[in-house]
Amino acid sequence: MNSTQESRQGTAVVIGGSMAGLLAARVLSDFYREVLVVEKDDLPNGPELRPGTPQAFHPHRLTPRGLELLERYFPGFNEELLGHGAPSSLNGFNHMSNEHGILVLGPDPDNNASCTRALLEWVIRRRAQAVPGIRFLTKQEVTGLLSSPDGASVTGVLIRERGSEGQRRTLAADLVVETGGRASRLTAWLSELGYEVPAPDRLHLNLGYSTRRYRVPEGMERTWNVIHTSGRASEGTATGVFGPIENGLAESVLYSAGGVYPTTEAESYAQEAGALTSPVLAEAIRDLEPLGPPRAFRVPELVRRRYGHMTSWPAGLLVLGDAFCHFDPIFGQGITVASMEAELLEECLREEREQPRAGFELRALGRMQELIEPAWWLNCTAALRWKGVEYAGAAPLEGVEFAQRYFDQYHRHAMQTQSMELYGLFWAVNTLFAPPGELVRPELVEAVLAGAPETDRTWFDALAQQHGVRPAELPAALLPAFFRSAAAEAPRA
Ligand SMILES: Cc1cc2nc3c(=O)[nH]c(=O)nc-3n(C[C@H](O)[C@H](O)[C@H](O)COP(=O)(O)OP(=O)(O)OC[C@H]3O[C@@H](n4cnc5c(N)ncnc54)[C@H](O)[C@@H]3O)c2cc1C
């Protein structure tokens, strides 16, 4: 027995075997002798859709940070995706456009796979299934938590075989990790144990996705790796994204928020694609063979739980992934945040094993809450530009109006100067690869504002005067603290 095996003790139970659950299980397998992944679905033996992850028909992209962490926990997964027919990004070009202009990025130096969510999850799941100590209990639904008589510790879960009426079983665990996704019942379970759970922060977003898949005719040359046409949110013009996936297929999605949903009618899909701010997506799908009609997905609201702000919390329980906070899918942050939370879980477990201290779980949740904060704020700030989107949180979001106007000018500047670096930096921050402070370095703010139209400059000058600062100092005066603390770090990208 080696030293790692010796240090593994006890049993951890993970609720849910989707992306966050698989990542959590992989991390826990370094610390627990046995990791039981309890999943209510009958998990397919191939890259197929399943009921527990209804979002899986829709495009799922990984960000650089998510890729880096998935590769760390499941080495070689990208190569495996390519081996299953996922197209590589290598030497391809990306067509990025918004209301201010067009940027063509490439040739791509990376060999990243682009594929369906079903293929991604299947490859990662097979990797997790091969890890010693991880076991999957499928078609088993967790219906509640087991606890010590005083409710101070969670000691396991109550499970029921799906499809069978009565028959409940208990599973004892030293640690339970909830990764049951957006429909998580954790808040109710905690309330049953007597915990006072604060109301979550909510963004009433009413977003609509309409996704269509296509067969690419044999011999047709690939034009783009990715087409991303950002909508004009304030006027309700949709966003569109297009890209190739495995087995000679491609997918496109139309997205809008605020309750005005993109069409799911086969007849009008191409027409709506043609009304985006750039015609390139409509041109890309024109000669492809549609595989069935478009499919809709709607998200009424984004929810950020405030578990990390609770004053008491049971020992032996943690939560991560969408069950903690879920994001606007158009930014592709969900799996990345889940990977970062898994990395943080690893760090917290290591510290705890080296130096056990009471309150480990609540400290870990507090750190996850901090990790989530920038992604949540960036999501809300962008989404609030759509008419009809409303925020209801414990505290108002800081600096939203300034940020919206500044980021608008930032994009104008990036397009006017054809700066791939600035455009890429915005994506890098949005996908949690670079610190937010990089977007508001004083010299950059000065350059962005110098190129802004007169009316906008007047608005920024008046705001600066109101706060008794220079315009370049507005970010420090108005934006949340993570813009300041992160600014000191070296950029990752
Ligand atoms: C339309 C759409 C597009 C998206 N696009 C992207 C993208 O491009 N990039 C990206 O990174 N993210 C994207 N996301 C987000 C991404 O899908 C999630 O963030 C990611 O799957 C991680 O979620 P999760 O594992 O926490 O939960 P989920 O994926 O929702 O999985 C929860 C799992 O728990 C199981 N479960 C639930 N309750 C129980 C129970 N009581 N007992 C047992 N099992 C249970 C479910 O069956 C399921 O397997 C998108 C989301 C949507 C809605």
Side-chain angles (χ1 to χ4, degrees):
M1 199 186 262
N2 64 34
S3 61
T4 320
Q5 281 167 329
E6 277 165 28
S7 66
R8 288 184 196 146
Q9 291 158 13
T11 298
V13 162
V14 176
I15 306 172
S18 177
M19 293 306 294
L22 296 170
L23 282 153
R26 169 62 195 81
V27 164
L28 292 166
S29 69
D30 287 340
F31 296 89
Y32 290 83
R33 193 175 43 77
E34 183 181 45
V35 180
L36 302 175
V37 179
V38 185
E39 168 55 53
K40 65 184 168 130
D41 274 357
D42 186 9
L43 293 171
N45 286 324
E48 290 154 33
L49 299 174
R50 61 185 180 88
T53 50
Q55 73 272 34
F57 180 78
H58 301 274
H60 271 68
R61 290 284 166 270
L62 292 174
T63 71
R65 186 87 174 107
L67 266 168
E68 182 183 86
L69 286 168
L70 279 172
E71 197 60 44
R72 174 171 160 208
Y73 291 121
F74 303 100
F77 92 97
N78 183 60
E79 279 298 321
E80 200 177 328
L81 290 174
L82 296 170
H84 285 290
S88 161
S89 62
L90 188 66
N91 292 329
F93 288 83
N94 297 342
H95 187 284
M96 318 303 274
S97 62
N98 61 29
E99 60 192 285
H100 302 300
I102 295 168
L103 255 180
V104 173
L105 310 180
D108 194 326
D110 295 321
N111 188 25
N112 293 329
S114 67
C115 65
T116 57
R117 153 73 191 239
L119 177 59
L120 170 70
E121 189 183 301
W122 176 63
V123 163
I124 296 290
R125 183 163 70 242
R126 287 209 316 177
R127 296 271 166 145
Q129 281 164 338
V131 173
I134 299 184
R135 221 156 38 91
F136 283 71
L137 303 180
T138 57
K139 289 193 281 179
Q140 304 287 336
E141 181 174 7
V142 173
T143 57
L145 299 173
L146 301 174
S147 72
S148 56
D150 61 358
S153 312
V154 165
T155 56
V157 293
L158 200 55
I159 60 173
R160 177 181 58 196
E161 180 155 353
R162 282 204 110 185
S164 77
E165 272 311 301
Q167 281 306 329
R168 289 178 188 224
R169 292 200 287 142
T170 57
L171 270 185
D174 300 285
L175 179 68
V176 172
V177 179
E178 158 67 331
T179 60
R182 283 170 301 138
S184 164
R185 276 172 281 158
L186 185 60
T187 293
W189 294 338
L190 283 165
S191 303
E192 281 164 23
L193 294 183
Y195 290 89
E196 219 170 285
V197 184
D201 297 325
R202 294 178 190 276
L203 185 74
H204 302 294
L205 183 56
N206 290 315
L207 77 80
Y209 255 48
S210 179
T211 298
R212 198 165 199 196
R213 287 194 183 160
Y214 307 85
R215 186 175 305 288
V216 181
E218 234 165 274
M220 185 188 233
E221 209 181 312
R222 168 134 63 99
T223 40
W224 303 105
N225 265 355
V226 177
I227 297 171
H228 189 116
T229 302
S230 294
R232 204 178 281 123
S234 55
E235 290 168 28
T237 314
T239 287
V241 184
F242 170 86
I245 49 176
E246 67 268 22
N247 302 328
L249 305 183
E251 61 188 3
S252 70
V253 61
L254 301 178
Y255 158 99
S256 52
V260 181
Y261 303 114
T263 182
T264 49
E265 300 293 328
E267 299 72 36
S268 43
Y269 195 83
Q271 196 187 337
E272 276 196 23
L276 298 174
T277 52
S278 146
V280 176
L281 192 150
E283 286 162 16
I285 60 175
R286 195 179 46 213
D287 299 324
L288 307 185
E289 178 198 336
L291 294 175
R295 286 204 209 170
F297 197 94
R298 293 188 180 172
V299 180
E301 57 178 13
L302 305 182
V303 177
R304 176 175 67 159
R305 309 274 167 198
R306 296 175 53 231
Y307 296 133
H309 294 149
M310 285 169 65
T311 47
S312 71
W313 177 270
L317 177 69
L318 286 173
V319 47
L320 52 90
D322 284 16
F324 202 149
C325 178
H326 52 95
F327 301 94
D328 186 341
I330 201 69
F331 300 112
Q333 294 162 321
I335 297 171
T336 298
V337 172
S339 319
M340 291 169 76
E341 288 166 345
E343 185 187 38
L344 185 56
L345 172 67
E346 182 184 9
E347 208 175 299
C348 293
L349 285 168
R350 183 157 298 125
E351 285 170 15
E352 176 62 8
R353 286 279 153 104
E354 281 165 11
Q355 205 174 16
R357 280 194 297 147
F360 147 75
E361 292 83 355
L362 207 45
R363 275 198 308 281
L365 292 174
R367 287 169 70 179
M368 286 192 197
Q369 194 93 50
E370 273 174 37
L371 185 159
I372 290 168
E373 185 71 31
W376 175 253
W377 183 91
L378 286 161
N379 258 229
C380 295
T381 302
L384 282 162
R385 300 179 74 225
W386 293 86
K387 277 198 196 88
V389 176
E390 282 170 19
Y391 182 75
L397 293 165
E398 288 173 80
V400 170
E401 198 186 358
F402 164 73
Q404 287 173 338
R405 285 189 85 135
Y406 173 70
F407 291 151
D408 190 35
Q409 293 311 320
Y410 178 101
H411 277 117
R412 180 193 297 273
H413 181 68
M415 286 298 183
Q416 267 172 0
T417 55
Q418 285 288 291
S419 171
M420 298 192 194
E421 203 184 313
L422 288 184
Y423 189 89
L425 179 64
F426 193 81
W427 275 105
V429 168
N430 259 277
T431 54
L432 314 172
F433 198 69
E438 285 298 307
L439 292 177
V440 291
R441 281 180 281 111
E443 66 279 15
L444 180 56
V445 179
E446 268 164 25
V448 166
L449 299 190
E454 184 67 37
T455 44
D456 292 277
R457 277 214 310 275
T458 311
W459 186 86
F460 286 111
D461 285 345
L463 191 67
Q465 215 165 32
Q466 189 187 327
H467 289 273
V469 294
R470 288 185 304 113
E473 291 163 349
L474 281 169
L478 298 176
L479 294 182
F482 55 78
F483 272 89
R484 296 186 282 284
S485 52
E489 289 173 21
R492 295 177 55 88

